[in-house]
Structures are given as C-alpha cells and as structure tokens.
C-alpha cells in the first residue's frame, strides 16, 4: 500500500525579499530570481546586496503572489524576489528535486483554485502544506521525474517548433515585401483602393443601441464575431454569440463573407484573421472591422499579414491610433494607410507559403494537445503508483545538504548520484517537416533559418545520407550557409557530437592520400577537436548500421 506524507512535514518554506537591482553587474554580483525566470525569461537581473534569501539548484521555487501564482521552477540559483517562495527539504529528508517539482506542477491548478486575496491572488500556505505527496524509494522518484521531464521537453520542443514557424513566416514576409529591392517598382496605393467597389466593403460592427446585450441569444440562426475570434491572428471559433434571424435582417449590412479580412479595432488592437470559406450566416461586432477586398488587386493573406507586420503600415497605425480610454482604430485610419502594393503573383506565392505553413502548424498544435494530454495522464498514473518503471534505469544525481543560513549555499554531499534514463530501444526514425524543407518545397528563397536538431536531421537526410564517401565538417558548414541558415558554429558542432553519440553519424580518419584520391583537400574546422596530425576527420550517415 502506498504511503503518503503531508508536504509541510517534509519541506521548509521561506519567502524572498524585495531586491535592489544593479544596472552594471560585476563578477561579484548575484543573480536575482523572479517570476519571469520561472517562465524561462532570458533577461537576467542581478544585485550587489549581500542580504536576501538565497536559493540553489536543489531548491523548488514557487511563485507565491500575483497572476502567475503557482508557477514552479527549479535548477536555478540566486537571491529570490519577494513574490517567490523557496521550498527546501528538511535536513532529515531525502527527496529528489525533480520529483518534488513534478509533483507540485501536477497540483498547480489545485493551488490556484485555493488562492487567497480579493484582487491579487496569493498561495494559501495551509493548503500547500496539507498536500499529500506519495513516498517512493529515491531511485523511483528519479525514474518518475525523468519520464515526466522527457514529456515536458517534447512539449517544449513542439511549442518551439510552432514559434519557429511564426518567425519563419514573418521573416519571409519582410524579405518578400519590405526588403525586396523590387519594391521601388511597385505602385504606391491607399488602402481603400484595394477593397471591392461596393457599399460597406469596409465596415465595423453595430454600435450603441443598434445591438444591445439583451438581444444576444444562447442559440440562434446568426453568429456574431468578436475579438476572441481573431486574437491569435488566425480565425477561431470560441465563445458562442448569436442573434435571431429577425435581428439580422436589421443588421445585414454587417454580414461577413468568406475571404474577408478581420481586424480588431478596440481592446486588443491590430489582431487580424481571414474569414474561412465555410462560414454560417455571421456578422461582426463593434470590436472588429471587416474588409472585403478586390481579389484582383490584393490577396487576403497578404493584407492580413501586412496589417500586423509591415513596418511602414505599423508606423502609420501607431501614429494614428486613437482612443480616449483605450487604444482604438477606426475605418478612416485604415482607409488612409499608404504602402507599396506588390504584384498579385507575388501575393499568391506568399499565400501558398502560408497555406503550407498553417497546415504544418495545425499538425504541430494537434501533436501538442496529445503531448499535454499524455503528460496529464502520466502524472496521474505516476503519483498513484501505477506507472511501470521496470524499463527505466536510475543513474545518480547531485544532491545538497540543507542549511539554516539563508546566505549560505548548502554543501554538496555524495548520495548515489542519479539521473534516470530509459533503456535504449530501437525506434523508427521519423523526420518531421522543417522550415528549410517548407521553403525548399515551395521554391522560395531561404534566409535566416534557425539551426536546430530538427533542421540538422532534415539536412542530413536530404543532402548527406546518400553520400557513400562521406563528408567533412567544412562541407556541412558550406551547405548550411548556402541554404540560408543562421550559422552558429557551436550549435552545428554540438549537433555533430550528438549524432556521433547516437551512432547516427560514423566518423573516420581520412589520410592525405585518401583525400587526394577521393576528394579535394578541404580544411576541417573541427579537426583539432577530433584529431591531431595531418589528414581530416570525415563522417558518413549511418543508414541502419550498428
């Protein structure tokens, strides 16, 4: 039967203090940890103060106050800010930090639901201390934390892939429509010249008494769009708002049509989306403007992206945004936007890139939901003792001995050191679509592509997997630069070492005679790291060999 203990019997809780930051940190300065650091913020802050509550990498950090109360972090050291609490195992308690952190992450929603404070939420200390944590052998704690951490890393990688797709689209847009030297030959137009020549081609939704709150119905024949439908810069069905068909007959001039561009003009200003082809009878609310374009002059994909990303359009919008209480747009401002209108063929090409990218993003988002669901299921099974840990090995990690001194780093002690890792099993290799592959498939110019493992795998498969005589590091470097990657030597070097360790690349030493007979002599920038002497280190992609 599983044993449980109250968290308050196992840990000591210490709140942080308000820091005094230094603008010019030195080697003696100490990092200050705040809520932003728990969310992976890279804008590090430091202090020169010698007082405060210090945390080490073995402590759990918990956001105690504010909208992000309940956020968990660990593996960081420094003074903690006043909105952070340090959770440290008591002296006589042997607990794995990753296991304790994983358990608390599984309780974030529960803790947030029990916060105190009418305006600013605070973690309820009594509720936190009363949490019952399952007690497993130390090695099993490591195994559970490892499996959950692996899933979390997959989730983080998937989120990064989605972010990279957005960055790729933005950089592609700027390259095609802003930094393109051909822009000097394009016609400069007013925005209103690109809309369909009909009444109400540009319209904001019904205002004031035209549509009152009590006229919305839970179920109706006509949908009403709001900010929530465009807030993520893509059309999404969210909150259901309806009106009757009778009411629609009074407001029919606000109807939206397939391929209309929507832009938020109140509240969260400047978010855009395109109305999908299959849409029921729908109008826009006062928070949105709907724009019906002349499709012979402008594509919705170009216009929607330009309204939120084109530097010249953004300058004009920022200069003219109006609103007494909150920022807001109006149709007059939008009509008088002036910019270079690219050829429709180029707009069509960009629309194809968006379509391909959005398809991939949909797949990534579906995968993300599956991973998040898997993580939730694994967490529940793990903390109920229902996970089969037989196929996971325990390898030892560094632990710390507790101290009562807030300014003193705990002493490291030699427990059996642990990091759990799954036993090696053969798995089917799968290459996901990369940004480089997307650009190559669409025959678009390739620039500023971030290099990561996904991109490196795609390059190895497409370019080097069928090279029986192999390649050296300089050839890989040259190919990445030619193909438009943001080349960073350290990242590429680490990728090569990673592939060698996984036996996905095989290395061998090529003598000068072999190079002369088989390849042109090439200087290898990794040579000193791999070997001394003359010749060069070469690589061959392992296509299934051991």
């Amino acid at each position: 039967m599983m044993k449980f203990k109250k968290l308050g019997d196992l840990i000591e809780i210490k709140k942080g203090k308000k820091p005094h930051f230094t603008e010019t940190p030195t080697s003696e300065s100490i990092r200050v940890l705040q809520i932003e650091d728990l969310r992976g913020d890279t804008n590090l802050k430091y202090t020169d103060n010698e007082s405060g509550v210090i945390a080490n990498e073995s402590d759990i950090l918990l956001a105690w106050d504010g909208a992000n109360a309940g956020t968990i972090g660990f593996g960081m050291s420094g003074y903690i800010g006043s909105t952070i609490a340090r959770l440290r195992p008591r002296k006589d308690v042997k607990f794995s930090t990753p296991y304790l952190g994983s358990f608390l992450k599984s309780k974030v929603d529960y803790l947030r639901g029990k916060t105190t404070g009418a305006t600013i939420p605070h973690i309820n200390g009594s509720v936190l201390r009363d949490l019952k944590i399952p007690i497993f052998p130390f090695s099993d704690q490591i195994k559970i934390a490892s499996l959950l951490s692996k899933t979390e890393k997959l989730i983080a990688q998937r989120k990064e892939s989605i972010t990279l797709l957005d960055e790729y689209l933005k950089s592609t847009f700027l390259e095609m429509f802003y930094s393109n030297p051909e822009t000097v030959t394009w016609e400069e137009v007013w925005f209103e010249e690109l809309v369909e020549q009909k009444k109400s081609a540009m319209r904001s939704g019904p205002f004031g008494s035209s549509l009152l709150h009590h006229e919305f119905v839970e179920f109706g024949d006509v949908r009403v769009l709001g900010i929530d439908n465009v807030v993520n810069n893509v059309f999404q069905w969210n909150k259901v708002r309806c009106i009757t068909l009778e009411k629609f007959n009074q407001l029919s001039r606000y109807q939206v049509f397939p391929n209309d561009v929507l832009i938020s003009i109140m509240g969260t200003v400047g978010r855009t989306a395109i109305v999908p082809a299959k849409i029921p009878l729908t109008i826009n609310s006062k928070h949105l403007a709907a724009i019906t374009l002349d499709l012979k002059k402008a594509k919705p994909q170009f216009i929607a992206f330009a309204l939120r990303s084109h530097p010249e359009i953004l300058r004009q919008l920022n200069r003219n945004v109006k609103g007494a209480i909150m920022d807001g747009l109006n149709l007059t401002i939008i009509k008088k936007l002036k910019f270079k209108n690219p050829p429709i063929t180029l707009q069509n090409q960009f629309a194809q890139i968006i379509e391909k990218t959005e398809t991939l993003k949909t797949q990534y988002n579906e995968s993300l939901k599956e991973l998040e669901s898997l993580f939730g299921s694994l967490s529940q099974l793990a903390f109920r003792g229902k996970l089969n840990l037989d196929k996971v090995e325990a390898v030892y990690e560094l632990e710390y001995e507790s101290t009562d001194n807030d300014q003193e780093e705990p002493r490291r002690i030699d427990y059996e050191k642990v990091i759990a890792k799954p036993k090696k099993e053969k798995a089917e290799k799968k290459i996901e679509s990369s940004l480089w592959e997307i650009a190559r498939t669409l025959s678009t110019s390739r620039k500023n592509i971030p290099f990561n493992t996904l991109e490196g795998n795609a390059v190895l498969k497409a370019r080097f997997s069928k090279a029986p005589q192999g390649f050296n590091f300089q050839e890989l470097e040259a190919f990445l630069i030619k193909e438009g990657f943001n080349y960073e030597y350290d990242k590429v070097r680490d990728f090569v070492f990673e592939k060698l360790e996984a036996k996905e690349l095989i290395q061998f030493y090529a003598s000068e005679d072999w190079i002369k007979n088989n390849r042109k002599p090439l200087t290898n920038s990794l040579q000193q790291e791999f070997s001394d002497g003359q010749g060069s280190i070469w690589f061959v992609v392992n296509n299934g060999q051991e």
Side-chain angles (χ1 to χ4, degrees):
M1 186 175 179
M2 285 186 59
K3 293 182 179 180
F4 293 84
K5 286 189 178 181
K6 285 188 177 182
L7 186 63
D9 296 334
L10 303 174
I11 63 166
E12 296 175 342
I13 303 173
K14 184 79 173 180
K15 284 288 300 294
K17 298 180 180 180
K18 186 175 181 179
H20 297 280
F21 299 114
T22 177
E23 295 183 0
T24 55
T26 67
S27 60
E28 301 297 320
S29 301
I30 299 176
R31 183 179 174 184
V32 177
L33 302 172
Q34 301 186 103
I35 288 178
E36 292 79 7
D37 296 282
L38 306 188
R39 301 200 304 263
D41 189 15
T42 56
N43 183 23
L44 306 186
K45 298 180 176 63
Y46 294 87
T47 182
D48 289 327
N49 287 4
E50 296 184 357
S51 63
V53 177
I54 199 165
N56 62 68
E57 294 179 359
S58 188
D59 292 325
I60 301 294
L61 304 181
L62 172 65
W64 197 270
D65 311 294
N68 294 290
T71 302
I72 303 293
F74 54 87
M76 295 174 279
S77 61
Y79 286 128
I80 56 175
S82 58
T83 59
I84 302 290
R86 182 192 69 193
L87 280 56
R88 176 174 289 176
R90 298 181 186 277
K91 287 185 177 181
D92 57 343
V93 173
K94 184 179 178 182
F95 248 98
S96 160
T97 296
Y99 171 77
L100 183 55
S102 296
F103 171 76
L104 288 171
K105 285 180 181 180
S106 75
K107 298 296 182 182
V108 168
D109 290 340
Y110 175 74
L111 292 173
R112 286 177 176 169
K114 299 290 185 179
T115 54
T116 62
T119 54
I120 299 177
H122 310 280
I123 291 295
N124 187 318
S126 297
V127 170
L128 176 65
R129 291 181 178 89
D130 285 341
L131 288 177
K132 292 183 178 180
I133 182 169
I135 306 301
F136 293 100
F138 191 71
S139 59
D140 282 357
Q141 294 179 29
I142 299 301
K143 293 177 181 181
I144 289 170
S146 174
L147 292 176
L148 295 178
S149 175
K150 183 178 180 180
T151 309
E152 280 189 300
K153 287 178 180 178
L154 290 173
I155 289 172
Q157 289 170 2
R158 179 57 68 239
K159 289 180 177 178
E160 182 184 11
S161 297
I162 294 171
T163 299
L164 288 174
L165 284 175
D166 292 332
E167 292 176 355
Y168 168 74
L169 272 182
K170 186 172 182 179
S171 64
T172 300
F173 175 88
L174 294 175
E175 181 184 341
M176 293 177 70
F177 304 117
Y178 184 66
S179 58
N180 188 341
E182 294 296 319
T183 57
V184 295
T185 66
W186 299 347
E187 180 186 6
E188 191 169 46
V189 298
W190 299 102
F191 190 94
E192 60 185 340
E193 297 177 47
L194 303 180
V195 304
E196 195 172 86
Q197 297 304 303
K198 70 173 186 179
K199 188 176 181 180
S200 299
M202 297 180 67
R203 63 262 180 217
S204 53
F207 200 86
S209 60
S210 297
L211 180 59
L212 301 174
H213 184 73
H214 74 268
E215 293 179 292
F216 288 100
V217 294
E218 186 174 358
F219 302 103
D221 300 305
V222 185
R223 303 287 289 270
V224 181
L225 301 178
I227 294 176
D228 57 302
N229 300 111
V230 305
V231 71
N232 293 318
N233 289 320
V234 63
F235 186 90
Q236 295 174 316
W237 288 113
N238 287 304
K239 182 179 178 181
V240 177
R241 290 175 295 267
C242 298
I243 58 174
T244 64
L245 190 57
E246 180 182 6
K247 186 63 183 179
F248 170 77
N249 291 332
Q250 302 172 21
L251 304 174
S252 58
R253 64 184 179 277
Y254 301 113
Q255 182 179 353
V256 300
F257 303 95
N259 285 324
D260 278 356
V261 174
L262 303 174
I263 179 170
S264 57
I265 58 175
M266 298 174 64
T268 306
V269 174
R271 303 298 175 90
T272 64
I274 300 169
V275 177
K278 295 181 180 180
I279 187 170
L281 195 57
T282 305
I283 67 169
N284 56 306
S285 70
K286 65 183 179 181
H287 299 96
L288 301 178
I291 303 165
T292 303
L293 297 168
D294 182 342
L295 298 181
K296 295 179 181 179
K297 297 179 180 179
K299 293 288 290 185
Q301 292 84 351
F302 165 72
I303 292 297
F305 216 95
L307 285 171
R308 64 177 187 264
S309 299
H310 196 295
E312 182 55 37
I313 290 177
L314 292 178
R315 276 193 289 270
Q316 295 175 66
L317 289 176
N318 291 333
R319 185 172 64 242
N320 294 311
V321 161
K322 299 178 180 179
I325 300 176
M326 63 179 71
D327 288 343
L329 286 173
N330 59 50
L331 294 180
T332 300
I333 294 174
I334 298 172
K335 287 178 181 179
K336 296 304 178 184
L337 293 172
K338 197 172 186 180
F339 59 97
K340 295 291 187 98
N341 189 39
I344 199 70
T345 52
L346 197 61
Q347 296 186 40
N348 284 331
Q349 185 180 348
F350 183 66
Q352 291 175 350
I353 295 172
I354 286 183
E355 182 180 2
K356 178 78 174 180
T357 307
E358 290 298 328
T359 298
L360 186 56
K361 187 189 289 188
T362 298
Q363 296 172 2
Y364 281 177
N365 278 313
E366 290 173 354
S367 170
L368 178 60
K369 289 179 182 178
E370 291 174 0
L371 287 170
E372 289 174 336
S373 176
L374 174 63
F375 180 78
S377 298
L378 284 176
S379 295
Q380 290 184 25
L381 292 171
F383 300 120
R384 287 163 49 196
K386 301 293 185 181
L387 275 185
N388 184 351
L389 302 174
D390 292 342
K391 291 187 177 182
V392 180
E393 295 178 6
V395 185
Y396 284 88
E397 77 178 354
L398 196 62
E399 292 292 322
Y400 293 80
E401 180 180 13
S402 294
T403 173
D404 294 326
N405 189 337
D406 287 329
Q407 280 74 50
E408 180 183 337
E409 285 279 3
R411 296 183 296 279
R412 296 181 176 184
I413 56 179
D414 286 331
Y415 288 150
E416 310 117 300
K417 309 202 161 181
V418 190
I419 297 174
K421 59 182 181 180
K423 291 181 178 177
K424 292 183 179 179
E425 294 182 356
K426 289 187 178 180
E428 181 181 354
K429 295 180 181 179
K430 180 180 178 182
I431 303 294
E432 299 175 348
S433 295
S434 69
L435 302 186
W436 173 69
E437 287 179 313
I438 294 171
R440 194 165 62 118
T441 300
L442 295 171
S443 300
T444 60
S445 59
R446 299 183 283 279
K447 289 183 180 179
N448 302 319
I449 300 175
F451 183 84
N452 54 35
T453 299
L454 175 62
E455 301 296 341
N457 287 339
V459 167
L460 287 184
K461 181 183 180 183
R463 172 62 179 84
F464 296 103
S465 64
K466 297 178 181 179
Q469 293 180 334
F471 60 97
N472 72 359
F473 190 79
Q474 187 178 20
E475 289 180 302
L476 177 60
E477 285 182 309
F479 184 81
L480 293 175
I481 293 170
K482 179 177 74 71
E483 289 296 306
F485 283 93
N486 287 334
Y487 180 76
E488 296 180 52
Y489 170 77
D490 289 345
K491 285 187 176 181
V492 179
R493 177 200 61 193
D494 292 345
F495 170 76
V496 170
F497 281 126
E498 175 189 321
K499 296 293 116 177
L500 288 171
E501 184 177 356
K503 296 185 178 179
E504 294 175 27
L505 279 181
I506 300 171
Q507 78 177 56
F508 62 94
Y509 185 73
S511 67
E512 283 188 330
D513 289 340
W514 186 91
I515 295 173
K516 289 177 182 178
N517 293 330
N518 294 277
R519 294 293 198 107
K520 296 178 181 178
L522 292 171
T523 303
N524 192 326
S525 56
L526 269 185
Q527 170 133 2
Q528 291 183 348
E529 297 193 37
F530 280 102
S531 174
D532 294 325
Q534 298 178 336
S536 182
I537 292 296
W538 287 67
F539 310 105
V540 173
V541 176
N542 185 353
N543 293 311
Q545 304 174 22
E546 290 294 333

